[in-house]
Amino acid sequence: GYVNARLEKETPIFNKQRIDFAPPEKINSLVVSSNQLCMSLGKDTLLRIDLGKPDEPNQVELGRKDETKVYKMFLDHTGSHLLIALNTSECLYLNRSVQKVRALSRWKGHLIESVGWNKFLGSETNTGPILVGTAQGHIYEAEISISEGSLFSTNPDQYFRQVYTLEEESGPAPVCCLEIERGIEGKFFIIATTRKRLFQFVGKVPEGTEQQGFSSIFAMHADHLPSFREFPANLGFSEIAFYTPKLRSNPRSFAWMMGNGVLYGTLDYSRPDSILSDERVWVYPSDIDITVNKPISIVLTQFHFLLLLPDRVKAVCTLNGQVVFQDLFLEKFGLLTRMIKDPTVHQIWIHTEKVVFRYHVQRESRDVWKMYMNMNKFDLAKEYCKDRPECLDIVLAKEAEHCFQNKRYLDSAKCYALTQNYFEEIALKFIEAKQEEALMEFLIKKLSNLKPSEKTQTTLLTTWLTELYLNWLGILEGDPSQRNLYLDTREKFRTFLSSPKNKDCLFNNRASIYELLASHGDTEHMVYFAVIMQDYERVVAHHCQHDEYDEALNVLSRHRDEKLFYKFSPVLIQHIPKKVVDAWISMGSRLDARNLIPALVNYSQSASTQQINEAIRYMEFCVYQLEETQQAIHNYLLSLYALCRPDSLLSYLEQAGTNPNRIHYDLKYALRLCAEHGHHRACVHIYKVMELYEEAVDLALQVDVDLAKSCADLPEDDEELRKKLWLKIARHVVQEEKDVKKAMACLSSCALLKIEDVLPFFPDFVTIDHFKEAICNSLEDYNKHIEELKREMEEATQSAKRIREDIQEMRNKYGSVEPQEKCAACDFPLLNRPFYLFLCGHMFHYDCLLQAVLPNLPAYKQAKLEDLQKKLAATSQPSKSHHRPKDMDTISLGKGQQSREQIKADIDDIVAAECVYCGELMIRSIDKPFIDPQKYEEEMQSWL
């Protein structure tokens, strides 16, 4: 339940405040509008206060020194135009923007009782056409205007003409109140009251002629009385008050204070002849005696009207006529004189001759819900307590009880579900009344209001509702007359099961729901529920159990669950193989064909050749369309081909190729399989792939010699093996087929075979005539080969001779060097140091050439060159011994000179083997950078 705790006393609806104001003279009259307050003090003073600036009052003198008194004052809705009616039947006018009071000469002679302001055409300088009621019962139309340039240079009252006279049964009666309202389509409603009667004048004012006034409306009633309400009692006066909810909107309700009480009602602007609607009379409270303490004034708020008595204020609720507020004033303040409401800010003002009070209306609708509830107007009651959950709960409980008592059980259930009442009490209440449908409605609404965190309650309600639905459906299904209700209830149950809000709860509690559905034997909804829970395994199993294989396959195809395909395919393929294979194919690569092989194997073992074709169709799809490379798939397809399609077997093997690394089937398995089924050509192909050419030729000779020949030529790199294979073919042709011509054809087919290779295979009795041609051809080939060898020997002898001549010529070759020639590497004179001259014309110093060649030599040549340089340096050192014999020196010198020349020659062979600019060294250096990467940074910095 709710806790309704208030920490401090609640502020009353009508909160009174005494105004801190001590008038110098007694207050005669007070009017307020648009936050502008005007007050008549004494005989000649008028006090104007802008309530937005209360510290800046404005005082105006009326200029009357005689016994004239202010009778009444009237302030328009803008707070700009003030009319001051005097007891001498005169009328004064004061505009908010001026300080001087102006007499209205045309109004003289009339005691003004009421003014009907024009809220539609009035402005701050012009009132527009207004209506004026007098004590003589006359209604006048008038207009007051001030000119902007020279104030009051002309009379402010533009015109003043009589338009109607109000009468009671005794004759003309004072016009107590006047109100002008505009309806729809240019229709105007004028309300005028006397002491006992309330008149209504209704008529249209043509668009654009509003400024011409309301004479045309009153002229319509010149010959007959307008509609009016009359009451017998008489206060001696009457007063009407209106409630306007928003600024610049039309009033919505009225309250007319007269002798018999207060006539209250609403204003309906759509009605053609009367604006008053929903009228009722609230009699005065019992302590008001109109002969002794009659009410003085009335003010209307949204839900109350306030009555001003000489010593107190009473607030009566317009909903029930009960007095809800009473405020008693102390005697020291004097008798209460007048009460008025500012229609723009909804503040209520009360004054005596000495004091002014103000009422603030605060949260007037706070208890309205309770009154509407007691009146059984529950929609309105809920509207006024929608922000107060504790009050709303009370209203809902009351409405639920009211509906239950009136046997509106479904409405009662909906309301009970929104209350905080005990769940068990309400449920038992419907159970005792045997209202199962209402109980279901209550549980559904209660379930929809639960929070996500209330999982236990949600589980309880969903399970209970499922049980109730199943019971109800079971009852309705057996009654043909309730067919429509059954279908409607079934749809509601399915909506309940598929509700997104209940999905998590139903999923977590699906085992219990399945048990309930099974206990009621409701397989239809069991399947429906399983689909909602995406428990497709249960759905498919159900269809399979009832031999509904097409339906089962449709479920699988719709939801495309691979695991379910693997599980149920063995069953489905036994009954609808073609459709199952179509479904597999539609799944494409989402299915792993290896997991389907067991279903196919089981099926193909018990099926006919025609049915096996479906298995082959799917395996071919996997191999050729999906390009599967799994060995198991290819092996199974091979087994199916070997069993039923030998022709397709060979084409498959040939299409797979002969590269073992690109073949996806098991070669040994394929060989064994083909051998078992006697497919020799397929075996030959597999032997060829395995490069077992001898076995291939042996087996091919059992089938076809041409096939064997094609196998014999396969080992292209092994002539010995190829010759051996062709010999096998030749032996077979000679010994088995005994066909000499075909044997000779073998000789022409293979260049490796000679007649002498084949002769041993022939029997001794074969005559030489069959081989004469072959033997002659063979001898001719030998002669040609011998001649060719002789020619090659002669050519080799000539080449050797030319080479020797070239060598001798090179030894005697020389080149000339001019004195001004320079080294191609360092650009210094060439003759200064030892140098090399190349045939291409380039010349290098020895050290320059060595420096250019050395970094580009292989490591082993660099090491050899370094070793030779050390040996050369060693031979150039002079001998330390000075006492050797002369002949020994000569011998040693000769050996040393010979050794030195050899070393130099070896160095030349390495360093000067080719020109550094024209030889291979320059070609190899193409991809080397101009700047060494290790010295790049240093080189770059040198350029900065």
Side-chain angles (χ1 to χ4, degrees):
Y2 295 100
V3 177
N4 185 15
R6 292 186 173 89
L7 300 180
E8 57 184 39
K9 189 175 180 181
E10 192 172 37
T11 306
I13 295 175
F14 302 101
N15 188 23
K16 183 175 69 176
Q17 175 191 7
R18 179 181 174 180
I19 304 300
D20 186 13
F21 171 71
E25 300 179 77
K26 69 177 184 179
I27 302 171
N28 298 321
S29 182
L30 183 147
V31 288
V32 183
S33 183
S34 293
N35 240 10
Q36 303 295 318
L37 184 146
C38 298
M39 187 185 306
S40 171
L41 303 175
K43 294 182 178 181
D44 195 46
T45 303
L46 186 69
L47 191 65
R48 296 187 296 182
I49 301 174
D50 183 348
L51 295 176
K53 304 173 184 177
D55 299 332
E56 301 175 12
N58 175 251
Q59 186 171 321
V60 179
E61 300 298 328
L62 298 181
R64 297 299 178 105
K65 302 300 182 182
D66 50 15
E67 295 300 319
T68 303
K69 293 182 180 181
V70 174
Y71 177 62
K72 284 186 178 181
M73 293 198 302
F74 308 94
L75 186 62
D76 81 317
H77 63 286
T78 66
S80 302
H81 306 283
L82 176 66
L83 292 173
I84 307 164
L86 305 177
N87 59 355
T88 57
S89 298
E90 295 177 88
C91 191
L92 306 178
Y93 171 75
L94 179 64
N95 190 276
R96 184 167 63 178
S97 61
V98 300
Q99 286 289 106
K100 187 175 181 181
V101 177
R102 183 73 173 175
L104 301 177
S105 58
R106 291 187 175 90
W107 296 42
K108 192 172 184 178
H110 303 283
L111 183 61
I112 308 302
E113 286 284 349
S114 58
V115 175
W117 297 103
N118 193 326
K119 294 177 283 188
F120 316 104
L121 296 176
S123 65
E124 293 184 358
T125 58
N126 189 293
T127 63
I130 61 174
L131 297 177
V132 180
T134 67
Q136 293 80 25
H138 303 308
I139 297 177
Y140 290 88
E141 186 179 82
E143 184 175 358
I144 301 173
S145 178
I146 60 170
S147 58
E148 303 254 350
S150 55
L151 294 177
F152 301 123
S153 60
T154 57
N155 288 333
D157 48 336
Q158 301 297 310
Y159 61 89
F160 190 78
R161 56 175 178 261
Q162 184 177 348
V163 292
Y164 203 78
T165 300
L166 295 184
E167 295 184 356
E168 292 181 350
E169 69 276 4
S170 58
V175 183
C176 298
C177 298
L178 281 170
E179 181 74 15
I180 304 170
E181 295 298 339
R182 183 169 61 185
I184 56 177
E185 299 178 353
K187 187 181 293 185
F188 280 83
F189 297 89
I190 299 172
I191 297 175
T193 67
T194 62
R195 292 165 297 190
K196 297 165 60 176
R197 290 183 177 180
L198 185 151
F199 295 86
Q200 290 186 79
F201 298 89
V202 183
K204 282 190 177 181
V205 176
E207 188 175 354
T209 63
E210 293 89 347
Q211 198 65 43
Q212 297 177 11
F214 308 103
S215 303
S216 59
I217 297 176
F218 289 101
M220 296 168 58
H221 302 281
D223 300 331
H224 62 278
L225 284 175
S227 63
F228 64 89
R229 306 283 189 277
E230 184 174 14
F231 295 90
N234 188 354
L235 286 175
F237 65 94
S238 73
E239 185 174 342
I240 191 167
F242 296 89
Y243 169 71
T244 305
K246 294 180 182 178
L247 188 65
R248 296 186 182 88
S249 65
N250 290 331
R252 290 290 178 265
S253 56
F254 73 96
W256 180 40
M257 182 182 72
M258 41 77 183
N260 289 84
V262 175
L263 176 66
Y264 174 81
T266 58
L267 302 178
D268 185 355
Y269 296 91
S270 62
R271 300 180 66 183
D273 53 354
S274 174
I275 193 175
L276 308 182
S277 177
D278 299 331
E279 303 166 59
R280 65 179 304 173
V281 176
W282 293 115
V283 297
Y284 294 119
S286 58
D287 59 344
I288 296 180
D289 185 355
I290 64 172
T291 59
V292 180
N293 59 340
K294 64 178 69 174
I296 302 168
S297 293
I298 186 171
V299 161
L300 181 63
T301 63
Q302 186 177 5
F303 296 107
H304 303 85
F305 58 83
L306 279 71
L307 296 173
L308 181 70
L309 299 170
D311 61 346
R312 70 193 65 194
V313 172
K314 287 181 178 289
V316 179
C317 179
T318 57
L319 300 176
N320 56 14
Q322 300 295 316
V323 176
V324 297
F325 172 80
Q326 179 170 285
D327 195 6
L328 189 64
F329 288 76
L330 300 176
E331 291 183 6
K332 66 177 183 179
F333 297 137
L335 296 176
L336 301 178
T337 307
R338 182 81 193 280
M339 177 172 62
I340 191 168
K341 186 178 79 166
D342 186 342
T344 58
V345 296
H346 300 292
Q347 290 179 348
I348 300 169
W349 296 80
I350 296 175
H351 72 91
T352 67
E353 291 183 347
K354 299 185 289 183
V355 184
V356 178
F357 297 93
R358 179 170 57 188
Y359 281 98
H360 291 276
V361 183
Q362 296 180 332
R363 294 178 56 237
E364 184 183 3
S365 62
R366 67 182 71 170
D367 294 324
V368 169
W369 64 271
K370 194 180 299 182
M371 299 173 191
Y372 278 129
M373 180 183 71
N374 295 330
M375 297 164 63
N376 294 334
K377 294 183 178 180
F378 299 108
D379 289 338
L380 289 171
K382 287 184 282 190
E383 180 68 25
Y384 284 100
C385 64
K386 59 185 177 183
D387 298 327
R388 299 168 66 185
E390 72 280 1
C391 302
L392 181 61
D393 190 64
I394 297 172
V395 174
L396 288 168
K398 183 70 179 294
E399 182 182 8
E401 185 61 30
H402 175 77
C403 293
F404 193 91
Q405 297 298 333
N406 287 279
K407 301 187 184 304
R408 291 163 48 204
Y409 296 111
L410 286 176
D411 294 334
S412 175
K414 292 175 184 177
C415 293
Y416 269 132
L418 300 173
T419 68
Q420 297 295 317
N421 291 25
Y422 287 117
F423 172 83
E424 297 84 353
E425 291 181 2
I426 300 169
L428 286 172
K429 197 169 187 176
F430 286 115
I431 292 172
E432 290 172 358
K434 297 182 180 180
Q435 294 298 319
E436 192 167 290
E437 189 176 0
L439 175 61
M440 290 168 61
E441 186 67 31
F442 168 69
L443 295 179
I444 290 170
K445 291 293 182 184
K446 202 70 177 175
L447 178 62
S448 65
N449 294 329
L450 288 177
K451 300 175 182 177
S453 59
E454 296 174 313
K455 295 182 180 179
T456 304
Q457 294 90 327
T458 304
T459 302
L460 172 67
L461 291 182
T462 51
T463 309
W464 193 0
L465 275 168
T466 303
E467 175 71 23
L468 291 174
Y469 267 121
L470 291 172
N471 288 338
W472 188 237
L473 286 170
I475 294 170
L476 294 176
E477 190 174 15
D479 188 353
S481 62
Q482 300 289 334
R483 179 64 181 171
N484 291 335
L485 181 58
Y486 167 76
L487 294 174
D488 184 52
T489 307
R490 185 182 69 175
E491 188 61 33
K492 288 181 180 178
F493 181 43
R494 293 187 173 185
T495 303
F496 166 74
L497 291 176
S498 58
S499 169
K501 187 173 182 180
N502 302 333
K503 186 175 181 180
D504 290 340
C505 176
L506 289 169
F507 182 79
N508 295 329
N509 196 37
R510 61 187 183 280
S512 300
I513 303 297
Y514 280 132
E515 289 178 6
L516 279 175
L517 291 166
S519 66
H520 284 266
D522 195 342
T523 56
E524 179 185 1
H525 284 107
M526 182 182 291
V527 172
Y528 181 83
F529 180 68
V531 171
I532 293 171
M533 294 294 104
Q534 298 184 354
D535 190 359
Y536 302 118
E537 182 176 349
R538 188 182 293 269
V539 177
V540 176
H542 170 80
H543 288 310
C544 289
Q545 289 170 5
H546 292 79
D547 297 337
E548 298 169 352
Y549 302 111
D550 287 332
E551 286 297 324
L553 184 60
N554 288 338
V555 174
L556 290 176
S557 301
R558 275 198 308 272
H559 302 289
R560 306 174 73 83
D561 188 331
E562 300 88 346
K563 294 180 181 179
L564 293 183
F565 266 103
Y566 300 146
K567 181 171 183 177
F568 291 100
S569 288
V571 176
L572 296 176
I573 200 168
Q574 298 290 339
H575 301 89
I576 47 173
K578 185 179 185 307
K579 293 181 179 179
V580 171
V581 171
D582 289 340
W584 289 351
I585 291 173
S586 68
M587 287 287 286
S589 59
R590 293 182 61 177
L591 289 179
D592 187 347
R594 291 177 300 173
N595 295 329
L596 297 172
I597 289 176
L600 290 171
V601 170
N602 186 39
Y603 167 66
S604 61
Q605 288 177 351
S606 59
S608 64
T609 303
Q610 184 178 0
Q611 291 171 320
I612 292 176
N613 289 338
E614 294 299 330
I616 293 176
R617 182 161 69 95
Y618 181 64
M619 288 292 104
E620 287 178 339
F621 169 77
C622 294
V623 170
Y624 298 122
Q625 300 297 323
L626 301 183
E627 298 181 351
E628 284 283 357
T629 60
Q630 295 294 331
Q631 192 176 77
I633 296 172
H634 286 263
N635 287 348
Y636 183 58
L637 180 58
L638 265 175
S639 68
L640 293 175
Y641 279 151
L643 185 63
C644 297
R645 291 190 190 175
D647 296 337
S648 299
L649 172 63
L650 188 59
S651 63
Y652 164 79
L653 293 173
E654 290 173 349
Q655 189 172 349
T658 58
N659 187 346
N661 297 324
R662 296 185 178 180
I663 288 176
H664 305 302
Y665 57 86
D666 187 338
L667 289 168
K668 294 180 180 179
Y669 172 76
L671 183 61
R672 185 174 68 251
L673 194 68
C674 295
E676 288 177 0
H677 291 84
H679 303 310
H680 296 309
R681 287 184 178 273
C683 290
V684 170
H685 179 83
I686 296 170
Y687 277 134
K688 288 194 293 185
V689 175
M690 298 172 72
E691 297 184 356
L692 299 176
Y693 301 116
E694 291 191 44
E695 289 82 351
V697 170
D698 289 342
L699 186 59
L701 289 174
Q702 299 178 22
V703 180
D704 184 7
V705 174
D706 292 334
L707 179 62
K709 290 179 180 180
S710 65
C711 296
D713 282 331
L714 290 176
E716 297 176 355
D717 300 331
D718 192 345
E719 289 188 358
E720 184 178 350
L721 176 60
R722 192 142 51 95
K723 183 176 180 180
K724 183 179 179 180
L725 298 177
W726 276 102
L727 286 174
K728 282 179 177 284
I729 297 171
R731 176 182 295 174
H732 174 81
V733 172
V734 173
Q735 295 180 352
E736 300 296 332
E737 297 187 7
K738 297 181 172 39
D739 190 340
V740 177
K741 291 183 178 180
K742 190 179 283 189
M744 293 300 102
C746 289
L747 292 176
S748 61
S749 300
C750 179
L752 299 177
L753 289 183
K754 303 298 181 182
I755 184 62
E756 58 268 28
D757 298 326
V758 181
L759 283 176
F761 302 146
F762 289 96
D764 296 337
F765 54 83
V766 177
T767 60
I768 198 171
D769 296 339
H770 295 95
F771 315 118
K772 182 170 65 176
E773 184 178 351
I775 292 172
C776 292
N777 291 336
S778 178
L779 291 174
E780 287 178 4
D781 289 341
Y782 280 128
N783 287 331
K784 289 179 181 177
H785 184 60
I786 291 169
E787 292 297 327
E788 187 175 347
L789 289 175
K790 286 181 180 181
R791 186 173 62 255
E792 289 177 357
M793 290 172 65
E794 290 175 358
E795 289 176 357
T797 304
Q798 294 296 325
S799 296
K801 183 178 179 181
R802 284 195 296 272
I803 290 171
R804 283 195 295 271
E805 291 173 354
D806 289 343
I807 291 172
Q808 187 62 37
E809 185 179 351
M810 285 295 294
R811 287 178 179 173
N812 299 325
K813 196 168 186 177
Y814 66 92
S816 61
V817 178
E818 298 294 333
Q820 66 273 17
E821 294 290 349
K822 295 182 180 180
C823 175
C826 65
D827 206 32
F828 280 96
L830 186 70
L831 297 177
N832 289 349
R833 300 197 299 275
F835 63 89
Y836 287 98
L837 172 62
F838 290 95
L839 292 176
C840 60
H842 288 113
M843 292 169 277
F844 301 91
H845 288 128
Y846 168 75
D847 54 341
C848 294
L849 182 63
L850 182 64
Q851 186 179 1
V853 171
L854 185 61
N856 298 288
L857 290 176
Y860 76 94
K861 282 194 177 184
Q862 290 183 7
K864 183 177 180 182
L865 180 62
E866 185 179 354
D867 184 54
L868 289 171
Q869 286 176 330
K870 287 180 181 179
K871 289 180 179 180
L872 182 64
T875 57
S876 63
Q877 292 178 356
S879 175
K880 293 182 180 180
S881 175
H882 300 283
H883 303 286
R884 279 194 243 178
K886 187 175 180 182
D887 56 346
M888 289 296 293
D889 287 346
T890 304
I891 296 169
S892 177
L893 181 62
K895 290 180 180 179
Q897 287 295 333
Q898 185 179 6
S899 177
R900 182 180 177 81
E901 292 299 324
Q902 182 63 40
I903 292 170
K904 283 185 176 182
D906 292 340
I907 291 174
D908 290 344
D909 288 341
I910 295 174
V911 175
E914 58 182 0
C915 176
V916 72
Y917 286 172
C918 302
E920 290 184 8
L921 182 63
M922 183 58 69
I923 295 172
R924 288 198 303 269
S925 67
I926 285 176
D927 58 345
K928 290 185 178 180
F930 290 110
I931 301 173
D932 189 348
Q934 297 178 351
K935 299 181 179 180
Y936 180 80
E937 289 294 332
E938 180 182 347
E939 184 71 21
M940 187 175 66
Q941 293 296 329
S942 68
W943 283 83
L944 296 179

